[in-house]
Structures are given as structure tokens and as C-alpha cells.
């Protein structure tokens, strides 16, 4: 095939008599906006912890600001040039660009500082603009004559569809309150579809023509076939990847990622052929090539994460990968493209072209080396000095390009070349100034602490233990440079984060870390970031001498939940916890595995779903049943995201070993002999214990009394309190500590057995085992219309069937257990309630549906 003939990449012929070439359309000169966003990206990185969401802002200033603006500009230009289509009305392109940048500012402000509604509206406008842009590209393609480059437009349109999906997910994330496993899956899908869809598909489609142009070689004959094959694989693969993450189907997501990777491999075949024909020889070529290499590395690492992690953990596991994707892949592809394209589109004749190209590529080898050394330092778990070195290398390289590009753009505005339109200049200046104002607004200013002159140094030993930070208050003279030597002396992991941004990693028992603060100027709060620990009291405050620590430094949160609608229907697909209690298995040795899963989302009341912490995925956990003298060997596996333990009330053993807190991925064997009959509670043993129990980490052990008679039916009801909200959140823990449950439950759901009644027949003997899990409330179990003739409580009979008396309730304090027996006199519907009426009316209520025998 003939060499690629694309005006954007063709070097203008030299010669002193050649007239100055007409400059490119306005939307290409709008690259000043891209350079401005790149400059703001560098500024955001330098601001660091001075911003309320520094990492999020850095990612979105770069991707949503610089990259998305660049894609809108260049994909339209490539479509016009490759299809030899008529240039569209520039006012439409300017309108789209202005709306996109205004919406970007709204998203940045809404998430970082303003109301969530601002971010949601901004995300909706971004989606609308990109879909409008896709429609404009399709119209251009339909009006143009068929050509060998038309396949590129399909990549741009599919990429726009990916951003529309990513924008919708981003809007949902901005609107969601709190976190949870659904939030984490949505966040993972949002990241994947934006990075590998919007950016990845655009880059792959562009490289078919841009790469041979940069190398100045021929277009491979396989290009069109490779493009078709690549698109057929990448788009369905991306759909499976995103959908699998959202609906919690890990292997579907993994299959989608493998399919997507196969599509990229097919698309890269002609690029490899171009390299064989001619090696890279310019800064643009080497930078683009390095970006593609990092893209493939990121795909491999991403595949490992998706295959090996539950979908709810993918978002967190992707965090270390982001620097490789953003700096290694996205930034280098963007910078490499601009290195090649800017000199061509800015015009000014051959001499100016050479001058601009030489300016932009000045020191490119050093910048390339710095970028590709710094990116892995940001991703790898290296000591902090090396991480800072990585930031310095990447930011210095990026800042150098911004400066050189600004010089080039200013040179294009000199006499002898047409100046940028006043409208474009106004849009550029307005967007840049507005975005800068967002950074200033959300950072809230530097405050006194950044301007205090150091007057001395002080080292303080800080310990983390027993849900407390000691000392809880540190006083020092203004200007003191404090060094905190933080040691975790607890059995479970903790960390310490300060409001000024300094933080330790999660520290295991006995581990230490050192924090050095800026000169002290104003009070600084600190807390443990593990879920629920801050609300449980793991806080501290550093105050300048002469001031008083504010009372109540912990975050109080809000209850504020609306009352439960217990009469509402349960959601489609809801299944109740099976209350049927099966007979004790044969044999005297019982082995069971209990696995923690603290990412389960369950319906805890009609229409109310929230994340719960579970044993084996249910609330309550699995029932252990046996006889007196039986031995239970429990393999306890922590498959959760934080430390957990387990405590069986039915066994007599020193708690030091088997009840210790183990970390995610660890396991222990808990062996106990059931020497006493009864209905026993087991629960998580990790502090704060009340939070772990309240969020669902409890179950029952049933040890039959030696003389236990046969019953026609046996049921188990484990009562528990319901605290709505994200587990461990400040608002939830405040309600827990103040004893203000949002409801009460039998077997993990408020009013669940109103909607799935327990079955019995008239004349049958029914035994109801009960355990009060609390953590703070007991239960007074009562069946309306059917007195108990047998009551067994805490290891002893209080009433037997042949006694003349009867019982109204089985009353249990928190952690107590027993059973009651009754015979329903006739068919009908019999409520079973906790006769503490507040509890019954709050959800501790169910029904027996009794039929004829």
C-alpha cells in the first residue's frame, strides 16, 4: 500500500519561496484547553493533601479535563481528514467543547466540595455532550464517500458509548451515600469502562493511522481486517467485563477482560508490522510506543486482579494499577500524540513547523526516561522517598511539556499567523480560571498551619489499643514540629490518619510507623480509618498550647433514618433464612468451616437492603447442633476485608488463642467440647464487639438435653437488633452506642416471617428454640393464641408438659438461649412476637400458618 497520506502528520515541504500554509480550523487550535488542563493536573498533584479528595481530583482533572477534551477535539478532526468530509459548522464544535468543560468543572466541584446534585447534573451533561459528539461523527461518515479509513470512526462511536455508560455509573457513584459492596462494584465498573472503553478504544482506533504516520512508513495491508476483528472482540469484551463487575459475576468479568485483551492484540498486529518496517526515531514515536507497552502491561495486571479477587474488591485492588494506566499509558499516548500533531496543525510555514517541532521535542529523551522510571515507582510498594521521587520525575516531565507546549501555542499567535478567535480565547480562559477556582474553593485555603515558622521539635510516643489512641490529646507550643511514633499494641490492625493528610499504613500487632507534621499552627484531629473505629472512640487531637481541645472531638453522625414500612412487600427474589432446625447428626465428632464474608448485601427489612457482616454469608450464621460430650472442630476462615474473630459460648477454653482476631486471608482451628446442654450464642470476638454483632456476626449452637423428647417440628429464632446504615459508619455507631436500633429482627430480617410464615399443623408438637443475640436487647418470646406447655431456659427446664401450669413467654437476656414447646389447638394464623412491644412493633414479629392435620 502507499504511504499514509494524512495532512495532520505530513511534514510540509521546505523551500524559501513556498507560501505560508493556511492554519488549521479553530477546533485544532483549541489544544490550548488541553494544555491548560494538563497544567492544572500538575498543580493538583502538587497541592496533594491540601485538597479534600486529592487522588480523586488528580485522576478526574486529568482524565475528564485534559484527556476527554483532547479526544473530542482530535476524533472530530481525524474523522474529517480521513473521510475527506466537509468540515462541520465550527459553532457546534465550540458549543460541545464549552458544555463539556463547564460540566467537567461541575463534576469536580460537586464531588470534592459541593452538593452531590451538582456532580450528578455535570455527569449527565458530559454524557449528553459525548453522545451528541458521536451522532455528529456518524453524520459525517454517512455524508462522506466510502474510503479505506472509515473503519476508524466506528472505534470513536463505540468509545463514546463507553463513556456514556461510565458517566452514568459516575453519576450513580456521586449520588450514592456511603460505601458498601455495591458501591465498590460500581466504582470498579466505572473505572474499567472509562479507561479501557473511552480512552482505550479511542487510542486503538487512532493508532491505525497515527502510528504509521509518526513512523513515516506504509499502512499495513492488514489494517482494515485487524480493525474489524479488534472491534468485534473489544466491545463485547468490555460489555462482559463491566456487566460482570456490576452483577457480581467474577468469571463473566474475567472472560470479558480476556476477550477485550484478544481484541487489542488483534488491533496491534499492523502496528507491530509498522515497527518492523521502521523503528521509532522521534520523541513522538518513542513516547507513543512506551504508552502502548504500558497499556499491555496494565491489561495483564488487570486480568490477574479480576480473576483472583471478588468483584467487591476489584476497585481497591486497582488502586496501585492506576499510576501505570494514567501516567504510563494515557499520559504518554496523549503527550506523544501532541508532540507529533501540534506542529502540524499550528501552521506558520515550513520554518515555523521545524521550530515548533524542535521546541516540543527538546530534551525528549530525558523526559521519556523520567516518565517511565517514575510511573512504576508510583505503583510499586516502595519506601516513601522512592514514591516521592516517582512523583518528582513524572510531574517534572509533565510540567516540562506543558511549558514547551505553552511556548509553542503562544508563538502561533504572533504576527504573521492568524490569531485565535476571541470566542475560543474566552472559552479557554474561562474554563481554566473556573477550574482553578474549583481547586482553590475545595482546598479551603492553606490555613495558619502552612505559614507557621518552626520553633522546635518534639517526639511523642502514640499507642493504638483497645479502641483508643493514647494519648488522646497532645499539646505543643505553636510552631513545634511534631514527630509521632505510632505503635499498634492491639491484637487487630489499626492505623492513624491526621486531618492534615499524614497517615500511617495499617499496622499489625507490634508494628510502628512515624509521622512528621508541619509546624503546628492550629488544632489537628486524628483517627483510625478502620470501619467503625473512629466512631467507637479511636480519635485524638493535637492542640497548640494555650488553647483547649474541643469537647466531643469524635464525629457524632446522625440517626435520621425513616421508619421501616414493615407491611411493604419483600423484594422479588428474597429468600428468608431457613428457620427449620434439623436433628443432631450422628457421631460425636463434628467438623465445620465458618468463613467470614463482610461484603454481603441482604434485605434486612421489606425493601431495605444493606451490607452486613456474616458467617458463611447468612444472618445468623450456620447452626451447629450436637449432643452433650460432642466435640466440634471449627475451621475459621477470614474471607473479609478487616480483622475478625469468633467466640463459642458452648465451649470451655482459654480465649487467648482460638478467640483471637485474625486478618483477611488467615485461618485458625477452634476445637471445643460441648459439656453442657443448651441453646448457645456464638459471635465475632473482635472489638468493638457490639458493632460486629450488630452487623450480623452471630449464630447458634444447639446442644440437646439428654432426655430431649421428640417434637413434630423444630424451629430456631435468633433475635437481633437492626441498625441501618453502612456498617461501622459514624451514624450507625452513634445509634448503637445510644441504644437506638432502627428495628428488631428474627433471623436477620425485620418482619421476615410475616412474609414467609412458619408452617405447622393443628395438634402437632412444635419446639421453638430461641437465642438472644442482642447485642443490647433480650427477647420475651410469645406466641399469640397458643400458651407454652414446656419451657427450657439456660440449661434447665422451668416447665414440663406434664406440669399443671403453663407459660406465656420465654424470656431471655442478651446472649441467653432456650426453647419453648406448644401445641396449636386448631388451624389458623398465630403471630409469634417479642412481647417487648417496642421490639415487636419494630420488626420482631412473625406468623405461624397452621393447617389442619
Amino acid at each position: 500500500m502507499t504511504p499514509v497520506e494524512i495532512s495532520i502528520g505530513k511534514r510540509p515541504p521546505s523551500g524559501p519561496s513556498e507560501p505560508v500554509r493556511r492554519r488549521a480550523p479553530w477546533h485544532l487550535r483549541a489544544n490550548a484547553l488541553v494544555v491548560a488542563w494538563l497544567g492544572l493536573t500538575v498543580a493538583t498533584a502538587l497541592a496533594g493533601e491540601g485538597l479534600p479528595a486529592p487522588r480523586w481530583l488528580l485522576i478526574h482533572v486529568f482524565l475528564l479535563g485534559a484527556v476527554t477534551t483532547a479526544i473530542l477535539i482530535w476524533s472530530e478532526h481525524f474523522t474529517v481528514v480521513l473521510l475527506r468530509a466537509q468540515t462541520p459548522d465550527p459553532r457546534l464544535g465550540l458549543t460541545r467543547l464549552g458544555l463539556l468543560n463547564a460540566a467537567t468543572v461541575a463534576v469536580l466541584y460537586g464531588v470534592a466540595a459541593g452538593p452531590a446534585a451538582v456532580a450528578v447534573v455535570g455527569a449527565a451533561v458530559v454524557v449528553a455532550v459525548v453522545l451528541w459528539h458521536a451522532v455528529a461523527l456518524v453524520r459525517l461518515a454517512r455524508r462522506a464517500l466510502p474510503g479505506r479509513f472509515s473503519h476508524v470512526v466506528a472505534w470513536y462511536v463505540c468509545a463514546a458509548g463507553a463513556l456514556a455508560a461510565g458517566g452514568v455509573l459516575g453519576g450513580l457513584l456521586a449520588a450514592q451515600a456511603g460505601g458498601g459492596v455495591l458501591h465498590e462494584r460500581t466504582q470498579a465498573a466505572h473505572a474499567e469502562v472509562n479507561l479501557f472503553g473511552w480512552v482505550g478504544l479511542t487510542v486503538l482506533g487512532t493508532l491505525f493511522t497515527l502510528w504509521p504516520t509518526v513512523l513515516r512508513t506504509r499502512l499495513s495491508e492488514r489494517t482494515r481486517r485487524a480493525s474489524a476483528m479488534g472491534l468485534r472482540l473489544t466491545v463485547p469484551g468490555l460489555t462482559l467485563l463491566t456487566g460482570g463487575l456490576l452483577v457480581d459475576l467474577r468469571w463473566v468479568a474475567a472472560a470479558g477482560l480476556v476477550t477485550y485483551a484478544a481484541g487489542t492484540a488483534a488491533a496491534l498486529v499492523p502496528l507491530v508490522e509498522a515497527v518492523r518496517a521502521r523503528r521509532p526515531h522521534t520523541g513522538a514515536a518513542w513516547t507513543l510506543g512506551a504508552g502502548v507497552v504500558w497499556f499491555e502491561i496494565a491489561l495483564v495486571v488487570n486480568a490477574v486482579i479480576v480473576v483472583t479477587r471478588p468483584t467487591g474488591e476489584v476497585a481497591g485492588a486497582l488502586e496501585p494499577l492506576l499510576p501505570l494506566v494514567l501516567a504510563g499509558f494515557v499520559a504518554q499516548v496523549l503527550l506523544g500524540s501532541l508532540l507529533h500533531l501540534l506542529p502540524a496543525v499550528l501552521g506558520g510555514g515550513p520554518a515555523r513547523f521545524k521550530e515548533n517541532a524542535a521546541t516540543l521535542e527538546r530534551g525528549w529523551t530525558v523526559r521519556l526516561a523520567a516518565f517511565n522510571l517514575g510511573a512504576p515507582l508510583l505503583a510499586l510498594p516502595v519506601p516513601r522517598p522512592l514514591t516521592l521521587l516517582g512523583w518528582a520525575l513524572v510531574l517534572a516531565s509533565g510540567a516540562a511539556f506543558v511549558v514547551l507546549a505553552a511556548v509553542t501555542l503562544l508563538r502561533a499567535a504572533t504576527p504573521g499567523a492568524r490569531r485565535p478567535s476571541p470566542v475560543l480565547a474566552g472559552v479557554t480562559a474561562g474554563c481554566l480560571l473556573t477550574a482553578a477556582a474549583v481547586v482553590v474553593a475545595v482546598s479551603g485555603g492553606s490555613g495558619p498551619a502552612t505559614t507557621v515558622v518552626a520553633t522546635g521539635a518534639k517526639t511523642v510516643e502514640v499507642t493504638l489499643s483497645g479502641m483508643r489512641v493514647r494519648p488522646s490529646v497532645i499539646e505543643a507550643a505553636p510552631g513545634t514540629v511534631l514527630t509521632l511514633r505510632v505503635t499498634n499494641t492491639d491484637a487487630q490492625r489499626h492505623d492513624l490518619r491526621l486531618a492534615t493528610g499524614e497517615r500511617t499504613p495499617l499496622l499489625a500487632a507490634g508494628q510502628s510507623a512515624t509521622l512528621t507534621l508541619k509546624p503546628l499552627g492550629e488544632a489537628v484531629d486524628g483517627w483510625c480509618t478502620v470501619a467503625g473505629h473512629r466512631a467507637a472512640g479511636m480519635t485524638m487531637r493535637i492542640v497548640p498550647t494555650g488553647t483547649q481541645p474541643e469537647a466531643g472531638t469524635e464525629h457524632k453522625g446522625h440517626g435520621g433514618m425513616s421508619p421501616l414500612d414493615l407491611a411493604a412487600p419483600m423484594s422479588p427474589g428474597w429468600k428468608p433464612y431457613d428457620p427449620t432446625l434439623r436433628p443432631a447428626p450422628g457421631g460425636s465428632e463434628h467438623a465445620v468451616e465458618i468463613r467470614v464474608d463482610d461484603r454481603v448485601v441482604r434485605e434486612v427489612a421489606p425493601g431495605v437492603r444493606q451490607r452486613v457482616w456474616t458467617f458463611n454469608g447468612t444472618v445468623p450464621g450456620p447452626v451447629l447442633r450436637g449432643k452433650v460430650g460432642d466435640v466440634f472442630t471449627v475451621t475459621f476462615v477470614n474471607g473479609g476485608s478487616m480483622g475478625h474473630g469468633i467466640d463459642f459460648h458452648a465451649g470451655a477454653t482459654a480465649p487467648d488463642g482460638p478467640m483471637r482476631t485474625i486478618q483477611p486471608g488467615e485461618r485458625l482451628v477452634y476445637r471445643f467440647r460441648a459439656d453442657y446442654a443448651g441453646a448457645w450464642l456464638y459471635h465475632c470476638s473482635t472489638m468493638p464487639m457490639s458493632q460486629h454483632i450488630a452487623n450480623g456476626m452471630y449464630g447458634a449452637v444447639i446442644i440437646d438435653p439428654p432426655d430431649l423428647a421428640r417434637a413434630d417440628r423444630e424451629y430456631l429464632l435468633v433475635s437481633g437488633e437492626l441498625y441501618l446504615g453502612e456498617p461501622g459508619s459514624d451514624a450507625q455507631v452513634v445509634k448503637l452506642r445510644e441504644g437506638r436500633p432502627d428495628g428488631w429482627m428474627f433471623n436477620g430480617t425485620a418482619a421476615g416471617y410475616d412474609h414467609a410464615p412458619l408452617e405447622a399443623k393443628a395438634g402437632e408438637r412444635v419446639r421453638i428454640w430461641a437465642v438472644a443475640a442482642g447485642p443490647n436487647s433480650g427477647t420475651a418470646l410469645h406466641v399469640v393464641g397458643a400458651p407454652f406447655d414446656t419451657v427450657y431456659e439456660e440449661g434447665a427446664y422451668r416447665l414440663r408438659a406434664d406440669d399443671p401450669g403453663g407459660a406465656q413467654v420465654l424470656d431471655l437476656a442478651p446472649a441467653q438461649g432456650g426453647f419453648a414447646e406448644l401445641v396449636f389447638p386448631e388451624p389458623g394464623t398465630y403471630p409469634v412476637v417479642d412481647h417487648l412491644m417496642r421490639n415487636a412493633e419494630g420488626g420482631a414479629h412473625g406468623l405461624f400458618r397452621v393447617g389442619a392435620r
Side-chain angles (χ1 to χ4, degrees):
M1 298 182 72
T2 56
V4 182
E5 298 290 339
I6 304 176
S7 62
I8 54 175
K10 192 175 178 182
R11 184 182 294 275
S14 59
S17 60
E18 184 179 322
V20 174
R21 187 172 61 175
R22 184 180 179 184
R23 299 186 64 196
W26 72 267
H27 66 277
L28 296 181
R29 301 199 306 278
N31 281 286
L33 270 176
V34 180
V35 174
W37 279 112
L38 288 174
L40 193 59
T41 300
V42 175
T44 303
L46 293 175
E49 295 293 340
L51 302 174
R55 188 175 180 85
W56 185 93
L57 277 175
L58 177 61
I59 292 170
H60 288 79
V61 167
F62 175 58
L63 284 180
L64 194 54
V67 174
T68 300
T69 300
I71 290 176
L72 242 65
I73 293 170
W74 287 105
S75 58
E76 180 178 322
H77 178 68
F78 285 148
T79 300
V80 171
V81 171
L82 295 174
L83 301 184
R84 302 184 185 278
Q86 183 178 359
T87 303
D89 187 346
R91 292 174 296 180
L92 297 178
L94 177 62
T95 302
R96 284 195 292 270
L97 204 59
L99 287 174
L100 173 69
N101 282 266
T104 298
V105 171
V107 171
L108 297 176
Y109 178 80
V111 172
V118 175
V120 173
V121 171
V125 174
V126 169
V127 170
V129 168
V130 172
L131 291 177
W132 180 14
H133 171 73
V135 170
L137 298 185
V138 172
R139 288 178 176 174
L140 284 173
R142 288 179 176 176
R143 293 172 184 171
L145 294 174
R148 59 189 179 122
F149 299 120
S150 58
H151 60 90
V152 173
V153 179
W155 288 83
Y156 295 154
V157 173
C158 291
L163 182 62
V168 170
L169 295 176
L172 292 174
L173 288 170
Q176 284 178 5
V181 68
L182 179 60
H183 182 95
E184 293 164 0
R185 296 204 306 264
T186 305
Q187 187 174 4
H190 169 74
E192 298 277 9
V193 76
N194 282 337
L195 288 172
F196 294 109
W198 173 234
V199 180
L201 295 181
T202 300
V203 168
L204 290 172
T206 300
L207 288 177
F208 286 121
T209 52
L210 181 61
W211 182 243
T213 302
V214 171
L215 294 181
R216 299 191 183 92
T217 188
R218 294 178 182 274
L219 195 69
S220 171
E221 296 180 356
R222 301 186 186 183
T223 297
R224 192 175 188 87
R225 185 167 62 253
S227 175
M229 178 61 69
L231 200 59
R232 290 193 191 106
L233 291 173
T234 52
V235 173
L238 190 67
T239 303
L240 288 174
L241 170 61
T242 307
L245 291 173
L246 285 174
V247 300
D248 196 19
L249 295 175
R250 181 175 64 180
W251 292 109
V252 171
L257 188 53
V258 171
T259 305
Y260 179 91
T264 63
L268 292 176
V269 168
L271 277 66
V272 174
E273 292 184 355
V275 173
R276 290 175 178 171
R278 186 172 188 183
R279 295 182 59 186
H281 54 284
T282 63
W286 278 103
T287 305
L288 275 172
V292 173
V293 170
W294 281 119
F295 178 53
E296 293 302 307
I297 293 173
L299 270 180
V300 172
V301 178
N302 193 16
V304 172
I305 291 172
V306 172
V307 168
T308 59
R309 298 296 185 91
T311 54
E313 296 181 17
V314 169
L318 286 175
E319 286 290 319
L321 182 61
L322 285 177
L324 295 183
V325 177
L326 298 180
F329 164 50
V330 181
Q332 289 200 109
V333 167
L334 177 60
L335 297 181
S337 301
L338 292 176
L339 279 173
H340 178 79
L341 297 171
L342 277 179
V345 301
L346 290 176
R352 183 58 58 84
F353 176 92
K354 293 179 180 179
E355 185 180 10
N356 288 338
T359 299
L360 287 174
E361 294 211 349
R362 187 172 299 164
W364 70 266
T365 54
V366 176
R367 286 187 278 138
L368 181 69
F371 226 101
N372 288 280
L373 177 60
L377 290 179
L378 297 179
L380 295 173
V382 297
R384 181 169 175 79
L386 289 180
T387 303
L388 294 176
L389 175 62
W391 277 112
L393 292 171
V394 169
L395 292 179
S397 180
F401 174 82
V402 170
V403 172
L404 295 173
V407 170
T408 305
L409 290 168
L410 290 173
R411 183 185 292 142
T414 57
R418 292 173 59 193
R419 294 181 178 273
S421 70
V423 175
L424 176 60
V427 171
T428 303
C431 289
L432 180 59
L433 290 174
T434 305
V438 169
V439 173
V440 173
V442 299
S443 66
S446 58
T450 60
T451 59
V452 172
V453 178
T455 59
K458 181 179 180 180
T459 299
V460 179
E461 298 289 339
V462 177
T463 58
L464 311 175
S465 180
M467 293 295 113
R468 292 293 181 267
V469 181
R470 296 180 176 87
S472 60
V473 177
I474 299 173
E475 291 190 3
T480 301
V481 176
L482 280 172
T483 297
L484 307 183
R485 188 175 294 116
V486 184
T487 303
N488 180 20
T489 60
D490 207 352
Q492 61 177 307
R493 294 192 295 177
H494 299 289
D495 65 359
L496 180 64
R497 173 159 188 170
L498 302 179
T500 47
E502 297 85 357
R503 66 181 305 170
T504 71
L506 273 176
L507 302 174
Q511 289 185 331
S512 299
T514 300
L515 301 178
T516 302
L517 286 65
K518 297 177 181 179
L520 183 62
E522 62 181 3
V524 177
D525 288 317
W527 62 91
C528 177
T529 66
V530 177
H533 288 196
R534 182 181 184 182
M538 287 201 73
T539 61
M540 68 173 300
R541 190 169 178 83
I542 303 170
V543 294
T545 304
T547 64
Q548 293 295 325
E550 297 176 8
T553 56
E554 7 179 308
H555 186 273
K556 288 296 180 186
H558 302 279
M561 302 298 297
S562 59
L564 298 174
D565 183 3
L566 300 176
M570 304 300 292
S571 300
W574 170 77
K575 293 182 179 180
Y577 182 93
D578 185 0
T580 305
L581 191 59
R582 291 161 182 81
S588 60
E589 297 273 346
H590 310 286
V592 63
E593 180 179 279
I594 294 182
R595 179 179 292 270
V596 170
D597 187 347
D598 54 20
R599 305 171 187 83
V600 175
V601 176
R602 291 184 55 83
E603 189 157 4
V604 295
V608 180
R609 293 173 60 84
Q610 74 168 35
R611 185 159 70 102
V612 290
W613 298 347
T614 69
F615 294 128
N616 286 10
T618 63
V619 179
V623 179
L624 280 63
R625 190 170 191 182
K627 300 180 183 301
V628 174
D630 285 2
V631 175
F632 293 83
T633 302
V634 179
T635 302
F636 179 59
V637 183
N638 188 352
S641 59
M642 66 186 77
H644 292 289
I646 195 165
D647 174 6
F648 289 94
H649 289 193
T653 182
D656 307 59
M659 300 183 198
R660 71 182 185 274
T661 295
I662 62 174
Q663 299 307 319
E666 296 180 349
R667 62 177 57 207
L668 61 79
V669 175
Y670 192 137
R671 184 179 174 89
F672 67 91
R673 181 187 302 275
D675 292 322
Y676 302 100
W680 303 88
L681 177 68
Y682 73 87
H683 58 85
C684 183
S685 59
T686 297
M687 294 293 291
M689 208 175 296
S690 60
Q691 292 181 33
H692 291 249
I693 295 174
N695 284 303
M697 302 193 79
Y698 53 80
V701 177
I702 304 299
I703 306 300
D704 293 349
D707 58 349
L708 186 64
R710 178 187 172 276
D712 295 301
R713 299 177 189 262
E714 289 187 276
Y715 290 107
L716 171 67
L717 297 179
V718 181
S719 66
E721 298 165 2
L722 171 60
Y723 293 90
L724 298 179
E726 178 63 16
S729 66
D730 289 358
Q732 189 203 54
V733 174
V734 166
K735 291 185 292 185
L736 176 60
R737 295 176 68 184
E738 294 178 355
R740 295 187 292 105
D742 294 287
W744 284 264
M745 307 176 291
F746 287 142
N747 292 350
T749 305
Y753 297 122
D754 282 7
H755 303 273
L758 310 180
E759 300 289 340
K761 292 184 178 180
E764 289 183 332
R765 176 158 293 276
V766 177
R767 179 179 295 131
I768 306 171
W769 292 83
V771 174
N776 300 315
S777 299
T779 187
L781 192 68
H782 171 72
V783 176
V784 180
F788 300 139
D789 62 21
T790 302
V791 173
Y792 179 91
E793 181 180 338
E794 285 295 282
Y797 283 94
R798 292 177 51 194
L799 178 69
R800 290 182 181 266
D802 55 359
D803 291 338
Q808 307 165 67
V809 297
L810 170 61
D811 56 318
L812 302 172
Q816 288 188 332
F819 67 79
E821 296 178 8
L822 71 162
V823 176
F824 290 103
E826 58 184 353
T829 301
Y830 295 77
V832 53
V833 302
D834 184 336
H835 216 283
L836 294 167
M837 284 294 103
R838 182 183 66 159
N839 299 10
E841 293 163 2
H845 187 287
L847 299 173
F848 272 97
R849 185 164 52 201
V850 179
R853 192 164 187 175

